Amino acid sequence: MARVSLTPPRTFVLRLTEWYSRRAYGKTLDPVRALAHNPRVLWSDLRFERSVAKWNRLDPDLKGLAEMATAAAIGCSWCMDFGYWAGRERGTAPEKVHDVPVWRDSDAYTPLERDVMAYAEAMTATPPTVDDELVDRLRERLGEPALVELTAMVAVENLRSRINSSLGLTSQGFKDSCEVPASRSGDRTSAR
């Protein structure tokens, strides 16, 4: 259960954000409602997220996997739920989106994707446990501009996931809207 009410004062910024959120996602995002208790925080967050959305040096699928690995490490069910939906919307292979919490045990990922998720987890640890060997591999395969963006994206997802989980925000049903019912044969991939 959310630790702040999800019925904040109906300011202009909230009404505008709700309108956009419903158009883009089909519902108002709970983090919007939570942050709307402080309109300046909400407005700053919106401006920041618009800026982050323009970053384009890192492959979007790698970025999404890094975000989800970060959210999984923190334990933010809201971010995992939304990340699943965003990955499916982007066209990321369903098994890759589904297996993020168990990526080490999954055969779905390339060596680069594994390094990206390991980097996200290492950055998210307290204190960070990033090592030179991992950074060298990422820099060689991604280039420095994309490595910097990956680093910033993991930091951004830490901000999001820590806010959402600390405020008690949980899954909002995004994953359910893109799930395919399991087949009668029990085929694992059809359940994603």
Side-chain angles (χ1 to χ4, degrees), residues 64-74 80 95-124 129 134 137-138 141 188 192:
L65 291 174
E67 289 171 304
M68 287 188 71
T70 301
I74 291 170
M80 290 298 294
E95 62 275 4
K96 288 185 180 192
V97 176
H98 182 270
D99 286 356
V100 167
V102 294
W103 67 267
R104 283 183 174 80
D105 300 323
S106 174
D107 295 329
Y109 304 104
T110 67
L112 176 57
E113 291 166 337
R114 289 179 176 284
D115 280 350
V116 164
M117 290 185 286
Y119 186 71
E121 285 184 359
M123 268 189 69
T124 301
T129 58
L134 177 58
R137 283 195 312 270
L138 287 167
R141 288 169 30 220
R188 183 176 164 206
R192 294 185 185 139

Side-chain angles (χ1 to χ4, degrees), residues 37-143:
H37 285 285
N38 186 324
R40 287 183 184 210
V41 170
L42 175 60
W43 185 247
S44 295
D45 183 68
L46 295 172
R47 288 185 2 237
F48 177 67
E49 289 291 349
R50 283 183 49 138
S51 178
V52 167
K54 294 176 185 174
W55 298 351
N56 64 1
R57 300 305 292 267
L58 181 63
D59 175 81
D61 284 338
L62 292 176
K63 190 180 302 190
L65 291 174
E67 289 171 304
M68 287 188 71
T70 301
I74 291 170
C76 180
S77 68
W78 194 94
C79 297
M80 290 298 294
D81 179 47
F82 189 79
Y84 186 96
W85 176 84
R88 295 296 304 270
E89 287 289 305
R90 226 182 5 263
T92 304
E95 62 275 4
K96 288 185 180 192
V97 176
H98 182 270
D99 286 356
V100 167
V102 294
W103 67 267
R104 283 183 174 80
D105 300 323
S106 174
D107 295 329
Y109 304 104
T110 67
L112 176 57
E113 291 166 337
R114 289 179 176 284
D115 280 350
V116 164
M117 290 185 286
Y119 186 71
E121 285 184 359
M123 268 189 69
T124 301
T126 303
T129 58
V130 175
D131 65 61
D132 292 341
E133 183 180 311
L134 177 58
V135 173
D136 289 345
R137 283 195 312 270
L138 287 167
R139 182 177 39 248
E140 182 179 313
R141 288 169 30 220
L142 296 174

Side-chain angles (χ1 to χ4, degrees), residues 8 14 19 21 25 34 49 58 84 87 93 113 132 148 155 173 187 190 192:
L14 175 59
W19 171 82
S21 183
Y25 311 111
E49 289 291 349
L58 181 63
Y84 186 96
E113 291 166 337
D132 292 341
V148 168
D187 177 22
S190 67
R192 294 185 185 139

